[in-house]
Amino acid sequence: LFKQPESSHLGDCPICCLPLPLEGRKSTMNPCCSTIICIGCNFANQKREFQAGQKEHQCAFCRTPLATTDEGSEPHLMKRVEANDPFALLQKGVRCNRRGERERAIEYYTRAAGLGVVTAHCNLAMAYQNGQGIERDEKRAIYHWEKAAIGGHPDARFNLGVNDLKNRRADRAVRHFIIAAGLGDDDSVEQLKKLNPLGLVSKEDFAATLRAHKNVVDETKSKQREEAEAANFYSI
């Protein structure tokens, strides 16, 4: 549980091969191929299309024409769902959850988690913690948080740390926050800043964690991504 993952659960953008940023709006998963692509590569793709006078947007990865609404992209998504694509199952669960179909969302999350999708474990943990679409169960929530944390999900790791703080297990909480910060999680850094003056984090560990956090965040930056952010080209 307390082993530092090599990278976050998101991995790298398959086009530019740089680590994907943690902030969700800085990447996109298209239902045509269930591939997560960074904001920079999406921006560069649309710039190329504009310069070529192309009116129809295509997926930057598989070149499938993109629908502009969830309804329009649903046939592509369901084709991937029927093929048991784990990330399509996750995305279908997210869409069901947005529509208030909590129980159906749980079904899709459970299938995706069974196929190793880390974010699905995170979503299941939230459902069990809040009793959304399923009976509230703190133990099951912790189980899924731990599964997601082991898979490199910094939000799950952060939530485990918060839970340990509430239960007066500061030593465990600090270890969770250090690991999450090492994956680029800003909230965990803020928690460590609060705990450091209390003597709960050694100066050496605190300094090393700040360096690790900065290095990981810097690795997600590129000129192409900066251009996309400057143009406010964020995913909705």
Side-chain angles (χ1 to χ4, degrees):
L1 179 61
F2 291 102
K3 182 180 179 181
Q4 180 74 46
E6 293 183 4
S7 65
S8 82
H9 63 297
L10 294 172
D12 299 338
C13 172
I15 298 177
C16 65
C17 298
L18 293 176
L20 286 163
L22 296 181
E23 194 175 348
R25 65 178 187 158
K26 293 183 179 181
S27 60
T28 300
M29 181 190 291
N30 291 326
C32 47
C33 56
S34 302
T35 303
I36 302 176
I37 303 162
C38 78
I39 185 177
C41 290
N42 271 315
F43 183 64
N45 182 55
Q46 290 205 14
K47 275 180 62 179
R48 178 189 59 78
E49 290 175 340
F50 177 77
Q51 291 166 357
Q54 187 174 327
K55 295 181 180 180
E56 187 178 52
H57 291 312
Q58 295 180 335
C59 172
F61 186 75
C62 71
R63 300 303 181 192
T64 298
L66 293 174
T68 57
T69 64
D70 281 354
E71 291 77 12
S73 64
E74 191 73 8
H76 286 300
L77 179 61
M78 289 311 299
K79 185 176 180 180
R80 302 299 303 169
V81 167
E82 289 164 7
N84 220 31
D85 182 306
F87 290 100
L89 292 168
L90 170 66
Q91 196 169 39
K92 181 62 178 177
V94 170
R95 289 189 180 186
C96 287
N97 192 59
R98 286 176 184 167
R99 294 195 295 262
E101 301 170 5
R102 310 293 188 191
E103 293 182 1
R104 287 193 68 202
I106 295 297
E107 292 175 10
Y108 285 112
Y109 292 155
T110 300
R111 288 174 62 186
L115 293 171
V117 180
V118 174
T119 301
H121 280 292
C122 208
N123 292 356
L124 284 170
M126 288 295 293
Y128 276 112
Q129 186 177 57
N130 300 319
Q132 294 180 336
I134 201 164
E135 186 177 351
R136 192 176 185 281
D137 188 328
E138 188 68 25
K139 289 184 178 179
R140 294 297 295 176
I142 294 297
Y143 167 80
H144 286 291
W145 285 135
E146 289 182 346
K147 281 285 190 180
I150 291 169
H153 203 301
D155 288 347
R157 182 72 65 176
F158 174 81
N159 286 328
L160 287 173
V162 170
N163 182 69
D164 279 330
L165 273 185
K166 289 180 180 178
N167 289 286
R168 301 179 182 276
R169 297 190 293 262
D171 56 333
R172 286 174 58 95
V174 167
R175 292 171 72 186
H176 282 307
F177 294 143
I178 286 175
I179 292 172
L183 293 171
D185 184 57
D186 295 336
D187 290 336
S188 293
V189 170
E190 293 305 312
Q191 282 291 337
L192 291 170
K193 287 179 179 178
K194 294 176 183 178
L195 297 173
N196 183 46
L198 303 177
L200 297 174
V201 191
S202 71
K203 291 182 179 180
E204 294 78 11
D205 285 344
F206 185 59
T209 300
L210 291 180
R211 288 194 298 271
H213 175 269
K214 182 180 184 303
N215 290 338
V216 168
V217 172
D218 286 347
E219 287 176 358
T220 68
K221 296 179 180 179
S222 71
K223 182 179 179 181
Q224 192 167 263
R225 293 179 183 182
E226 289 171 0
E227 288 178 357
E229 290 183 43
N232 201 32
F233 192 77
Y234 294 109
S235 300
I236 300 173

